[in-house]
Amino acid sequence: MSAHQDVLCIHPDDDMLVALNDLAVGAVVYCDQEPYRISSPVQRKHKFARRDFAAGELLKLYGVPVGRATQPIREGEAITSDNLTHYAAEVVEVAAKTYRWTPPDVSRWQNATFKGVVRSDGRVGTANYWLIFPLVFCENRNVERLRNALEGPLGYANEDLAAFARSLLNDGAAVPKAVRRPFENLDGIRMITHAGGCGGTRADARALCKILAAYADHPNVAGVTVFSLGCQNAQISMFEDALKAQNSSFYKPCLIYEQQRWDGEKAMMQAALQATLKALNQANQVTRQPVPLSNLKIGVKCGGSDGFSGLTANPTIGQVSDIVVALGGASLLAEFPELCGVEANLIERCVHDSDKQRFLNLMRDFEAKAEAVGAHLADNPSPGNIRDGLITDAMKSAGAAKKGGTSPIVSVLDYGEPVRDAGLSLLCTPGNDVESVTAIVASGANMVLFSTGLGTPTGNPIVPVLKIASNSAVARRLSDIIDFDCGPALEGKSINELANELLDVVIDTASGDYRTKAAQLQQYDFMFWKRDISL
């Protein structure tokens, strides 16, 4: 892309062009030396028609159909929700054929390492946290009390807002001195709170326990303190069964406190605090050491997407995904509602025939559940997505899928299933930012690359979430939540250059040398996908 370019053609078969700047009526723009006269105002990030279309015709973007014209559309007219509706072709499994992939040149990275946290079973993390969580929402307050009791004295608390409050009160109180951290190899005390564990179906309680067990077992976690009320659906035994299913050789400290068995909350909390502090001595014994990049397991995600996400940030993330896969690492592409319309390409890339069918089955089941409550996968684009140029779900999906690069797909996983293989896997999650990242981490990702065009603060309690902007305007305006800017791609910088720079940031983050903006803001989001009703 050129700095002086007004429009972009993503794929030669496309029926639309992307406006890189606002285009006024009557303006003449050129693409591949072909002139186009603008017949209605076209906003930056939006698309306009390359020719006249009759009502009912299909329009392509990224080389695939992404919508059907609901009325005649003139050449040069802006594509809007008034003249285009969602369309995605019905997908069926086709005869098997070998997918040919040319891996990127990774010679630059072949001997590169990051400073990983190596557990006794050989698994590698990108951080070393102690995790506190409840089995039921009734215990959220006790989780928060224990985290607060530990964070300040151990030097992990963020006092910025409290210091500002003191300055507003102007009470002359002394600013608290910085606390020297007694556990130098422990990266922090993290907590999970949630709204589950009781009042719903047993299936949802089991699903919650499965996700919590995956977090406890994650290589970024040194050990856990768990609070139970006692009478809830998510019983301690249910959690312990989930932990055994997750890892039959689970070895970490797991401190469990059931409130209804104690003579008072104060005694329970003091016991939990004492035992946790003692266990932190063991957690502090782990030190970082150089490990190859094949130990990276990245999750790729987008949220608050705009019309440039599929042109800049998502392809950059996709290139990083391909590099990691080529080096022997793993990548997870989630958000099944945002793969609507690109299923054929993904099926073609599946290595195993069984995964092709499983992907189709999971997509159809997702669609059926949406329709059962009067919704549709096509409802996925938010008002912000639409305002910024993503008119249909298929249009959004075609750009979102770019995060998965071009590598073969080695497995298809349901929500929270552990990733077992190196390579690219598809993970069934909703498009909801936090529900999706929660599952990506539960599946074993030790780094999340999260693209955004509008800006979102999403983070995670135990895994770094790098926020990657599709455009420089949002990177500048929301610099407190954005870690990396892909906007220079609109000014001519190549995706390969940006991917190499982003991978450098990934390595620094995985090594503990760079702290993500989400972590700096203590944005630790957790929300499991509750599939059933409350009772």
Side-chain angles (χ1 to χ4, degrees), residues 188-208:
I189 307 293
R190 296 294 173 85
M191 76 169 187
I192 289 170
T193 58
H194 57 78
C198 203
T201 65
R202 298 298 191 273
D204 270 341
R206 285 190 293 271
L208 171 63

Side-chain angles (χ1 to χ4, degrees), residues 9-50:
C9 178
I10 300 174
H11 189 280
D13 293 340
D14 285 352
D15 297 311
M16 298 172 255
L17 298 177
V18 183
L20 302 181
N21 301 295
D22 290 343
L23 303 176
V25 174
V28 177
V29 295
Y30 291 84
C31 182
D32 295 332
Q33 301 182 327
E34 185 78 21
Y36 296 90
R37 184 174 296 277
I38 302 303
S39 55
S40 72
V42 182
Q43 297 178 38
R44 184 173 181 258
K45 305 183 185 180
H46 284 251
K47 292 83 183 168
F48 65 87
R50 297 181 75 173

